[in-house]
């Protein structure tokens, strides 16, 4: 049931993992999930991972969600900048070990994008 899934993903984005294929391709459902936690993009359909608005919402929430975006959007300048900015904002308030994670995430994203362009 769509309403049940919407309620569940507002509490825990991972509930999207158990949604039907139809709901994994439902823009409103996926947007609600990625606005709760950008990593919900991992469970979305390929079509949603290639939807610029959905991916931007995901990376603006969780910069490292960039890894779940389509190849096309991982090469989109605005999407990459949004992800990088979000990672920077998250890192400012974190402990050094978390900062290391965010740094490796951003560097990994950049290296991944560069290797795909080659």
């Amino acid at each position: 049931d769509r309403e049940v899934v919407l309620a569940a993903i507002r509490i825990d984005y991972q509930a999207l993992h158990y949604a039907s294929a139809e709901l994994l391709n439902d823009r409103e459902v996926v947007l609600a999930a990625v606005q709760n936690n950008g990593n919900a993009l991992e469970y979305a359909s390929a079509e949603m991972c290639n939807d610029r608005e959905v991916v931007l919402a995901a990376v603006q929430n969780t910069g490292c969600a960039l890894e779940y975006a389509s190849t096309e959007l991982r090469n989109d300048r605005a999407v990459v900048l949004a992800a990088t900015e979000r990672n920077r904002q998250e890192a400012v308030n974190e402990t050094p070990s978390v900062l290391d994670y965010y740094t490796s995430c951003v560097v990994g994203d950049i290296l991944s994008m560069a290797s795909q362009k080659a």
Side-chain angles (χ1 to χ4, degrees):
D1 178 74
R2 188 173 190 272
E3 296 309 313
V4 171
V5 171
L6 278 168
I9 61 176
R10 287 188 177 110
I11 296 167
D12 183 355
Y13 80 92
Q14 292 179 325
L16 188 63
H17 180 68
Y18 303 101
S20 68
E22 178 183 339
L23 293 177
L24 294 177
N25 202 40
D26 182 307
R27 197 164 202 264
E28 182 184 354
V29 169
V30 175
L31 269 172
V34 300
Q35 288 168 343
N36 180 8
N37 186 309
N39 287 322
L41 194 60
E42 176 182 9
Y43 306 117
S45 70
E47 183 177 335
M48 291 295 100
C49 291
N50 195 43
D51 181 302
R52 194 167 193 269
E53 182 182 349
V54 169
V55 171
L56 272 171
V59 300
Q60 287 168 342
N61 179 280
T62 309
C64 289
L66 183 62
E67 75 176 287
Y68 305 117
S70 69
T71 301
E72 178 182 340
L73 292 178
R74 284 194 311 263
N75 290 307
D76 181 297
R77 186 175 192 275
V79 171
V80 172
L81 287 175
T84 304
E85 175 62 18
R86 183 60 188 152
N87 279 339
R88 186 190 64 74
Q89 290 171 359
E90 291 170 344
V92 167
N93 298 318
E94 298 294 344
T95 61
S97 63
V98 174
L99 232 138
D100 290 342
Y101 167 75
Y102 286 124
T103 302
S104 68
C105 177
V106 171
V107 169
D109 289 344
I110 291 169
L111 291 174
S112 174
M113 287 183 296
S115 69
Q116 290 173 3
K117 285 187 174 185

